[in-house]
Structure formats: C-alpha cells, structure tokens
Amino acid sequence: MGAERAHVQYRCFQGEAPKSWNVVFEEATLPDGKSNKGRVQAYSGAIYIADAALYLKAKKPELGIKDPYELNEEQYKAVLDVLRAQHPLVQRYWHDATVQTDDFTNEGVVASGSWPYQVNLLQANKKPIASVIPAEGATGWADTP
C-alpha cells in the first residue's frame, strides 16, 4: 500500500520541494534556471491517468472532477490532453523502481511521481531527494492477496 507522491531532487529546487504537480505536467523554468523539459518522468501505468485527473481537478474545477478514478467522457478527454501535452517534458515513462532511482542519480531527472521505496533508497544513499504530497493531493494503491 502506498501513495504516489512527488519526488524531487531538492538541489534543483534550492532546497524546497514544489507544492504542485505542475512541475511534472507543465513546462516551466525551475529554480535552478533550467527548463523541466527532458528532466521529469511519468509512471507508465494506468494509475497515472488518475494522477493527471487529480491535477486537473484542482487546475480546472469547471470540469467537475470529483473522483480521479471515475471520469466522464469530457473529463477523460481533458486528462488525455494534459498527458499528451506533458509528453515532450518526459525523459522516461518509468515502470521499474530501480531504473528510476538510477535516473535520479545519473540521468539528470529532477521530478516525478514516485513511491516511498525510491525516496527511501535515494535518501539512504545520501542523494538530495525530497518527497511531498502536492497541494492537489495524491493517488494511492493497495496490494491485496
């Protein structure tokens, strides 16, 4: 069981984790003076649709998203538009936690949705990583037998 949290390399953010998912969904100049383009990752699973829906729930309340796991046609289309617009920012769509930790260590990745496992592993190895539940909230999962 866990939450999909924002996972950031805090040196890039001058020691303060971002407050919003916008750091992975919208092109922006980060506090280090560089673009986030090519420096963010996105999870390659269906739950990432809910992550984008949660972001849109706050960004565009007029869509009326109440549950990021239960979207109507208009809401789903808006979420797909966000994900398509995000694509040029994404360095990799991750599915392997070990590969993601390596990308944060060696490939210049500075922000992504992630799991507590990766954050704990990177912090144990003294990497400049922070984890935050953004203002828009977080999705989660439960592994059950």
Side-chain angles (χ1 to χ4, degrees):
M1 187 158 109
E4 180 80 7
R5 303 170 62 97
H7 167 171
V8 298
Q9 193 175 89
Y10 64 77
R11 264 189 254 163
C12 168
F13 293 92
Q14 299 179 345
E16 186 173 324
K19 307 279 190 265
S20 172
W21 282 113
N22 68 347
V23 70
V24 296
F25 287 116
E26 298 175 17
E27 186 170 2
T29 300
L30 301 178
D32 68 357
K34 299 175 186 172
S35 172
N36 61 344
K37 191 172 186 177
R39 299 171 73 201
V40 301
Q41 288 190 341
Y43 185 59
S44 68
I47 196 170
Y48 201 64
I49 295 168
D51 291 339
L54 194 61
Y55 170 69
L56 269 186
K57 179 181 176 183
K59 182 174 171 79
K60 293 191 173 183
E62 65 273 14
L63 287 170
I65 297 173
K66 296 197 183 336
D67 181 342
Y69 300 102
E70 190 173 334
L71 305 172
N72 65 32
E73 184 95 18
E74 176 190 12
Q75 294 163 343
Y76 184 63
K77 181 186 176 312
V79 169
L80 292 180
D81 289 345
V82 165
L83 294 172
R84 286 182 188 111
Q86 179 199 36
H87 182 73
L89 305 179
V90 175
Q91 177 264 0
R92 180 192 314 269
Y93 291 90
W94 72 273
H95 64 277
D96 181 307
T98 304
V99 171
Q100 188 186 44
T101 57
D102 186 59
D103 287 346
F104 266 83
T105 302
N106 301 311
E107 299 300 326
V109 173
V110 299
S112 180
S114 192
W115 303 332
Y117 169 77
Q118 290 97 304
V119 174
N120 292 340
L121 182 61
L122 288 162
Q123 288 175 342
N125 288 310
K126 308 290 187 229
K127 302 301 179 193
I129 297 297
S131 177
V132 64
I133 295 179
E136 298 90 351
T139 58
W141 77 98
D143 295 328
T144 56

